[in-house]
């Protein structure tokens, strides 16, 4: 079915029907196991990165071409209104210069103090609207290395038509992140602590989404960045940064702390839509599967190593599939073959021409634990700013770049108070908590511990088969 009158979405693996925005939002993953991307990338509305207008209006302008008439009138305005209602800073995502030509794009002013709030708050409204229009109920499942789960619980907790299941790796999220997920008390939220790492959680989510019996019993989706709507919701803050940079926007390089590659692909999408941008750098911690793939052509999943930047402890970034699809000239057969092999073997070798094409689209660097700690110290000493370890990864990578060619923007993805142990180890004191992170300790927690198997997960959430 071709929905020619609406913006439509196709699978990276080429074997699923086209869907509209609501279809992609409520499905999460395409039936063939691929990820949805726009059939035709829209152009940004004229002057969306120019002066004038507030961040809420700008977000609506960026997202409107993706939605078209797939949702009832007013849905997008209600969704973007959550940015001004739920964020503590009037600019939503302020751009701050920390050194000559070096900027931080602060994305931690939302209700859970992490960048995931920006898209999640909007997606919750859009999903509830779509379900009301179709008179359906949705089961959302999401894997998290910490911030996604907290943002999802805050955004979707208490919604009438949505049940939310969050899987996090046991003992591998910060205490603040865990408490944000497990103390909600919302009747529609189930928290599962998985004996494994984030990649195990992500594998379980994909297994749930593909399970034919479960799909027949429930409407299923995910709010990880594998969901197109979640990823699209991150594009507007790149436009916000470009607006703040003004005439220098076209010379700017963005450095993105990278785990599942969703935030970085959102930047790629912004550039694909015509946003002025000189370059895009994905900065990883020592879990550097993306770096190794671009340098050697071998994309291999190994066990993720625990780091201070826990939300980036990922060795199988799902959104790499979207980049492969685009860089290969949208070769769905190649993409399907590569990622089916990867799912089976945990290792693939990228063709040389594909690796060359990928390196034209994005570069990637790895930052060590010692470098991360030193960057936290340096930023405090030189700038008087306390940063989280994820931001430190991006800032350290950003300092390696030549700023004489144009400004460098490091994405600051979380408030340092979410990671007090790492910050205190570097600075000798814990960061001050903002009001939205106060009062978590002492609240009653609710979660179940499960093995990283589909059977264990299904039993824990007691879903119909």
């Amino acid at each position: 079915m071709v929905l020619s009158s609406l913006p439509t979405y196709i699978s990276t693996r080429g074997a699923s029907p086209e869907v509209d925005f609501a279809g992609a939002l409520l499905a999460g993953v395409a039936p063939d196991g691929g990820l949805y991307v726009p059939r035709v990338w829209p152009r940004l509305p004229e002057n969306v990165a120019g002066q004038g207008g507030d961040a809420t209006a700008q977000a609506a302008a960026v997202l409107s071409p993706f939605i078209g008439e797939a949702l009832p009138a007013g849905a997008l305005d209600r969704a973007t209104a959550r940015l001004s209602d739920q964020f503590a800073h009037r600019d939503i995502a302020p751009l701050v210069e920390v050194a000559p030509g070096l900027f931080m794009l602060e994305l931690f002013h939302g209700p859970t103090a992490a960048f995931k709030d920006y898209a999640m708050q909007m997606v919750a409204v859009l999903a509830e609207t779509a379900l009301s229009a179709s008179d359906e109920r949705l089961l959302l499942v999401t894997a998290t290395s910490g911030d996604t789960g907290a943002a999802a619980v805050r955004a979707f907790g208490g919604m009438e038509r949505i049940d939310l299941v969050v899987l996090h790796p046991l003992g591998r999220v910060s205490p603040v992140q865990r408490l944000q997920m497990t103390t909600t008390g919302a009747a529609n939220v189930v928290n599962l602590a998985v004996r494994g790492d984030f990649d195990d959680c992500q594998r379980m989510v994909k297994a749930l989404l593909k399970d034919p019996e479960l799909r027949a019993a429930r409407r299923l989706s995910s709010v990880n960045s594998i969901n197109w709507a979640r990823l699209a919701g991150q594009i507007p803050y790149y436009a916000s940064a470009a607006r703040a940079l003004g005439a220098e926007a076209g010379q700017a390089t963005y450095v993105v702390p990278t785990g599942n590659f969703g935030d970085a692909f959102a930047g790629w999408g912004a550039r694909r839509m015509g946003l002025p941008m000189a370059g895009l750098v994905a900065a990883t911690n020592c879990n550097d599967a993306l770096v190794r793939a671009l340098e050697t052509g071998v994309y291999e999943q190994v066990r993720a190593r625990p780091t201070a930047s826990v939300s980036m402890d990922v060795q199988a970034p799902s959104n790499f599939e979207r980049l492969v699809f685009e860089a290969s000239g949208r070769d769905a057969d190649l993409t399907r073959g590569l990622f089916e092999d990867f799912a089976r073997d945990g290792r693939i070798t990228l063709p040389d021409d594909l690796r060359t094409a990928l390196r034209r689209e994005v570069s990637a660097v790895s930052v060590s634990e010692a470098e991360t700690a030193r960057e936290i110290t340096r930023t405090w000493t030189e700038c008087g700013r306390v940063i989280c370890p994820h931001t430190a990864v991006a800032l350290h990578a950003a300092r390696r770049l030549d700023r004489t060619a144009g400004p460098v923007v490091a994405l600051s993805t979380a408030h340092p108070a979410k990671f007090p142990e790492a910050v205190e180890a570097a600075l000798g004191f814990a960061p001050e908590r903002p009001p939205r992170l106060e009062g978590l300790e002492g609240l009653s927690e609710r979660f179940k511990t499960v093995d990283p198997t589909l059977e264990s997960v299904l039993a824990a959430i007691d879903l119909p088969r």
Side-chain angles (χ1 to χ4, degrees):
M1 176 178 63
V2 177
L3 307 172
S4 58
S5 62
L6 294 171
T8 60
Y9 298 85
I10 58 175
S11 169
T12 52
R13 303 189 185 184
S16 292
E18 290 183 27
V19 296
D20 65 6
F21 181 86
L25 164 63
L26 297 182
V29 174
D32 63 3
L35 305 182
Y36 286 115
V37 292
R39 182 177 65 85
V40 177
W41 280 91
R43 299 293 294 175
L44 284 172
E46 187 175 354
N47 203 38
V48 74
Q51 300 300 315
D54 60 20
T56 300
Q58 188 174 50
V62 172
L63 293 176
S64 180
F66 289 120
I67 298 173
E69 299 178 359
L71 295 176
L76 181 56
D77 287 340
R78 289 194 300 275
T80 56
R82 270 198 165 190
L83 298 179
S84 55
D85 293 343
Q86 297 292 325
F87 279 65
H89 198 287
R90 65 178 185 179
D91 293 332
I92 314 300
L95 188 69
V96 178
E97 190 168 19
V98 295
L102 179 62
F103 296 83
M104 288 198 311
L105 181 62
E106 293 186 346
L107 301 173
F108 52 76
H109 294 286
T112 71
F115 81 101
K116 305 291 178 75
D117 288 320
Y118 193 103
M120 201 76 75
Q121 287 290 321
M122 293 189 288
V123 168
V125 174
L126 298 177
E128 186 83 348
T129 302
L131 292 166
S132 296
S134 60
D135 194 24
E136 292 180 280
R137 189 171 185 85
L138 180 68
L139 173 64
L140 280 178
V141 292
T142 189
T144 183
S145 50
D147 287 333
T148 296
V153 166
R154 180 62 180 261
F156 290 94
M159 286 203 158
E160 294 182 1
R161 292 181 175 270
I162 296 172
D163 299 307
L164 174 66
V165 177
V166 178
L167 293 84
H168 74 267
L170 179 65
R172 299 182 73 164
V173 301
S174 79
V176 172
Q177 289 174 315
R178 189 193 75 246
L179 288 167
Q180 285 182 311
M181 290 185 279
T182 61
T183 61
T184 170
N188 68 326
V189 175
V190 175
N191 282 286
L192 302 180
V194 178
R195 296 184 181 95
D197 60 18
F198 170 78
D199 293 318
D200 290 315
C201 297
Q202 187 164 252
R203 180 168 51 83
M204 290 301 96
V205 166
K206 291 180 179 179
L208 288 168
L209 293 173
K210 291 192 295 185
D211 186 85
E213 294 181 28
L214 187 56
R215 291 183 71 91
R218 295 291 302 267
R219 177 87 175 192
L220 277 172
S221 188
S222 173
V223 287
N224 283 99
S225 59
I226 56 177
N227 186 304
W228 169 253
R230 245 294 313 283
L231 194 149
Q234 297 170 212
I235 294 176
Y237 50 68
Y238 285 92
S240 176
R243 182 179 64 178
L245 289 170
E248 292 187 296
Q251 290 75 50
T253 298
Y254 291 81
V255 183
V256 189
T258 298
N260 213 23
F261 197 67
D263 210 8
F265 190 82
W268 184 94
R271 184 172 61 185
R272 179 66 179 77
M273 295 174 73
L275 190 78
M277 182 185 302
L280 190 66
V281 178
T284 76
N285 57 27
C286 63
N287 295 292
D288 59 351
L290 183 66
V291 177
R292 288 181 282 111
L294 296 181
E295 288 182 351
T296 70
V298 176
Y299 184 50
E300 182 177 21
Q301 182 177 356
V302 297
R303 179 62 64 182
R305 287 176 282 174
T307 72
S309 50
V310 294
S311 297
M312 297 160 59
D313 292 347
V314 180
Q315 290 282 30
S318 285
N319 285 289
F320 187 49
E321 178 167 339
R322 284 187 167 111
L323 186 67
V324 166
F325 178 72
E326 298 289 358
S328 67
R330 304 198 131 196
D331 189 332
D333 291 336
L334 173 65
T335 304
R336 181 175 61 253
L338 285 172
F339 285 93
E340 286 179 351
D341 289 350
F342 182 74
R344 183 187 66 243
D345 303 329
R347 187 181 192 274
I348 53 176
T349 300
L350 305 172
D352 288 342
D353 58 343
L354 174 60
R355 184 166 70 96
T356 299
L358 288 165
R359 289 166 65 94
R360 285 197 297 266
E361 302 298 333
V362 64
S363 59
V365 297
S366 177
V367 175
S368 71
E369 285 294 273
E371 290 168 330
T372 301
R374 286 200 298 271
E375 185 58 47
I376 294 174
T377 302
R378 178 177 181 177
T379 302
W380 168 248
T381 301
E382 296 183 2
C383 310
R385 289 182 172 272
V386 182
I387 59 173
C388 84
H390 310 77
T391 302
V393 169
L395 265 181
H396 183 82
R399 291 186 194 274
R400 299 177 184 175
L401 302 178
D402 178 12
R403 279 176 265 155
T404 62
V408 176
V409 179
L411 272 60
S412 181
T413 52
H415 194 284
K418 298 191 77 169
F419 310 94
E421 293 87 356
V423 173
E424 187 167 10
L427 299 182
F429 62 88
E432 183 179 350
R433 281 192 179 186
R436 58 195 183 280
L437 295 183
E438 292 288 359
L440 293 171
E441 287 81 1
L443 296 177
S444 177
E445 292 191 71
R446 188 176 64 184
F447 65 94
K448 300 177 183 178
T449 302
V450 299
D451 293 322
T453 66
L454 181 59
E455 292 73 23
S456 182
V457 171
L458 285 169
I461 57 181
D462 194 26
L463 292 173
R465 295 289 289 169

